[in-house]
Amino acid sequence: MYKNPHSNNLLLNLGIDSLNEMQETASDAILNDANVLLLSPTGSGKTLAFLLPIFELLDEYVAGVQCLILVPSRELALQIEQVWKKMGTTYKVNVCYGGHSIDTEFKNLSNPPAVLIGTPGRIADHLDRATFKTDAILTLVLDEFDKSLQLGFHEEMSFIISKLSKLNKRVLVSATSGIEIPKYTRVLNPTILDFIPSEETKVNLSMKLIISKEKDKIGSLFNLICSLKSQSALVFCNHRDAAERISGALNEKGIYATYYHGGMDQDERERALIQFRNGSMPYLITTDLAARGLDIPEMKHVIHYHLPSTEDEFTHRNGRTARMLASGTAYIITHESEKKQEYINYGMPILKVDNATTLPKPPEFQTIYISGGKKNKLNKIDIVGFFSQKGKLEKGDLGLIEVKDFISFAAVKFNKVKDFLSNIRDEKMKGKKFKIEVARKVIKKEE
């Protein structure tokens, strides 16, 4: 007898009235079939499509991990955890990933969660150490499994799956079709749910070409950003050092930009994403790491400073805009010396931006760092109360608040930050003195 999330508060907690067609179909298939392959574009709601049936499959009388969700990146792990927590179930969830405190994970797993989310490397490490039992794990989800394969996690995933002897349900999720399913997954004759639209059906995405006169395209990128009427954008490039260089060059020109790539420390990556999410850094210069699996808002503008080598990655980048019924624009900046990519139709409209030089408006918010988080018994309500009462902030002065394990971040109106910091200088929150200051910006380290 299933618990049927439609009859309780799960959707209400998520602020959703009803499921879309893909989510309805996927939920039914996952509940009823042993092997499911779900193909659906970025931003279509795949996470909820598998979390709702997982909730129905959990047994409240079983102690231990019942569902394991493997993901290619820590960001995706954290995003899935966040959705599960918003659902408001009574079942515990934990995440394990490289860069996260292993001691914290040991403590979390000593009282095992019903749902465990993690990256293949870290989960394999825990299985090696036998920090959690696998005998109650009946359901396995491989989210963005194509990306895990692309990143070379074959050995770790094969090892993990070999340890799950009681599995009776396997769910593979991807935004890319045509991926060969490895034999070690033991996914045989899956129910295939293909919701990836053909190119003809994606009418909400418009494409524009910018021809750069200079081989170094920074000037054209600057002009393009100046033409976007202060709206935020994701800028994709192909290399980590390029992301840092471009971000630095834009900052020198007066644009509030930060960068994001896989070579950064975990706390720096989180800091960059938080500043982008809360609007204090409206332009994120990134590698393909941000093309999928990140919890960032719907974008109206995606800019290809470099084009990726494959059409799949190009599609994933563009999936950051024109989601569902929204519209968006993808811009390609090119120079005559660049190699033409076969998957691009260069007959698209050309956008001239040479005369756009008016800087975007400065960000409305600035990010404030707090040296305490969930493990220090701090929550959003504590922060809102302290910032309002001691910091003398009005309701509209406070933006997005994010509480991590040991640190937190809050967006405060730019023009209120100085007085706010002065007001709280000698104040305690919940009886303790926390360090509260303007969050440092992620900047390129000197060689």
Side-chain angles (χ1 to χ4, degrees):
M1 187 75 175
Y2 295 130
K3 296 186 269 286
N4 193 353
H6 306 271
S7 63
N8 62 29
N9 291 326
L10 295 192
L11 296 184
L12 185 65
N13 292 342
L14 291 161
I16 296 171
D17 293 327
S18 60
L19 301 181
N20 61 37
E21 182 193 355
M22 179 274 292
Q23 291 166 331
E24 290 276 11
T25 306
S27 291
D28 289 342
I30 291 168
L31 285 172
N32 295 301
D33 301 340
N35 296 305
V36 175
L37 171 59
L38 173 60
L39 305 171
S40 193
T42 300
S44 58
K46 294 189 294 296
T47 300
L48 195 55
F50 62 77
L51 287 186
L52 284 175
I54 283 171
F55 165 74
E56 298 197 38
L57 292 164
L58 296 178
D59 185 339
E60 62 185 306
Y61 298 108
V62 172
V65 181
Q66 298 180 55
C67 174
L68 176 64
I69 303 173
L70 292 180
V71 295
S73 69
R74 59 195 83 180
E75 288 79 12
L76 183 54
L78 291 166
Q79 183 180 330
I80 296 169
E81 178 197 35
Q82 189 176 31
V83 174
W84 183 268
K85 286 183 173 178
K86 279 184 183 173
M87 283 164 60
T89 81
T90 56
Y91 293 102
K92 186 184 177 189
V93 64
N94 283 131
V95 289
C96 298
Y97 52 84
H100 193 219
S101 163
I102 194 83
D103 289 335
T104 298
E105 292 181 1
F106 287 156
K107 286 177 188 172
N108 289 337
L109 293 170
S110 66
N111 174 24
V115 178
L116 180 60
I117 308 162
T119 51
R122 182 53 69 92
I123 294 294
D125 185 16
H126 280 294
L127 287 175
D128 252 345
R129 301 169 188 250
T131 48
F132 68 92
K133 293 180 180 178
T134 61
D135 53 357
I137 299 178
L138 303 181
T139 305
L140 172 69
V141 178
L142 303 181
D143 194 10
E144 288 195 3
F145 79 97
D146 57 308
K147 188 71 173 176
S148 291
L149 299 179
Q150 188 183 328
L151 291 170
F153 287 128
H154 289 270
E155 194 174 321
E156 293 90 341
M157 291 200 294
S158 178
F159 168 72
I160 292 165
I161 293 168
S162 73
K163 297 289 185 183
L164 308 179
S165 59
K166 301 290 180 66
L167 276 185
N168 61 21
K169 198 171 291 288
R170 296 170 175 83
V171 181
L172 274 58
V173 183
S174 175
T176 304
S177 53
I179 307 296
E180 187 175 344
I181 300 173
K183 287 181 180 177
Y184 59 74
T185 62
R186 299 178 210 159
V187 173
L188 303 172
N189 303 316
T191 300
I192 300 174
L193 309 176
D194 190 348
F195 286 88
I196 296 177
S198 63
E199 279 304 306
E200 292 75 35
T201 61
K202 190 149 187 182
V203 294
N204 295 329
L205 177 67
S206 59
M207 308 273 294
K208 295 189 178 172
L209 195 66
I210 290 94
I211 310 290
S212 175
K213 293 175 183 173
E214 306 292 333
K215 193 170 182 180
D216 182 343
K217 301 181 285 189
I218 288 287
S220 294
L221 175 60
F222 171 78
N223 294 137
L224 173 56
I225 288 174
C226 288
S227 77
L228 299 182
K229 300 178 180 175
S230 302
Q231 293 175 335
S232 59
L234 266 176
V235 180
F236 284 102
C237 52
N238 289 346
H239 307 288
R240 296 171 177 180
D241 59 347
E244 296 188 17
R245 182 179 65 83
I246 294 163
S247 173
L250 290 175
N251 277 288
E252 286 176 11
K253 291 175 178 287
I255 300 231
Y256 288 80
T258 189
Y259 61 85
Y260 178 84
H261 60 66
M264 299 163 67
D265 293 340
Q266 173 60 15
D267 66 331
E268 287 185 333
R269 279 160 68 169
E270 284 193 8
R271 194 176 295 250
L273 284 182
I274 286 166
Q275 291 176 329
F276 182 59
R277 272 198 295 265
N278 69 24
S280 59
M281 283 288 160
Y283 303 98
L284 186 68
I285 321 302
T286 180
T287 59
D288 284 329
L289 185 63
R292 45 185 168 168
L294 287 191
D295 180 19
I296 56 177
E298 166 71 19
M299 304 304 304
K300 285 190 176 179
H301 308 287
V302 165
I303 300 170
H304 301 275
Y305 189 86
H306 298 136
L307 282 170
S309 56
T310 68
E311 186 173 6
D312 269 348
E313 282 306 323
F314 182 68
T315 301
H316 285 305
R317 289 180 178 187
N318 292 338
R320 283 292 168 195
T321 189
R323 295 187 193 175
M324 310 302 280
L325 299 175
S327 60
T329 306
Y331 306 85
I332 296 170
I333 305 177
T334 188
H335 180 259
E336 61 181 14
S337 66
E338 289 182 21
K339 177 188 171 187
K340 295 282 192 287
Q341 295 290 353
E342 291 180 4
Y343 61 82
I344 296 291
N345 175 8
Y346 288 89
M348 70 183 76
I350 294 175
L351 180 66
K352 294 190 179 294
V353 294
D354 296 357
N355 296 325
T357 54
T358 303
L359 284 171
K361 293 174 187 171
E364 195 177 355
F365 289 95
Q366 195 165 17
T367 302
I368 300 297
Y369 162 86
I370 304 152
S371 66
K374 296 172 194 169
K375 303 292 184 185
N376 309 101
K377 309 297 185 194
L378 277 188
N379 59 38
K380 285 186 183 180
I381 295 170
D382 299 325
I383 293 169
V384 169
F386 180 77
F387 277 44
S388 303
Q389 293 160 24
K390 302 295 186 182
K392 298 182 172 58
L393 294 179
E394 302 292 331
K395 188 177 179 182
D397 297 335
L398 198 50
L400 187 68
I401 297 171
E402 300 200 33
V403 183
K404 305 296 179 184
D405 280 349
F406 297 102
I407 58 174
S408 302
F409 297 92
V412 171
K413 279 277 181 73
F414 225 108
N415 59 358
K416 298 295 177 78
V417 167
K418 187 177 178 183
D419 287 344
F420 162 76
L421 291 175
S422 175
N423 291 335
I424 56 95
R425 183 178 294 123
D426 301 314
E427 299 289 350
K428 292 181 179 179
M429 182 162 37
K430 293 190 81 172
K432 185 177 177 184
K433 188 80 169 70
F434 291 98
K435 185 187 231 181
I436 300 175
E437 62 188 14
V438 173
R440 73 173 184 272
K441 187 177 166 189
V442 179
I443 56 172
K444 184 173 181 178
K445 293 183 174 66
E446 295 301 322
E447 299 297 333

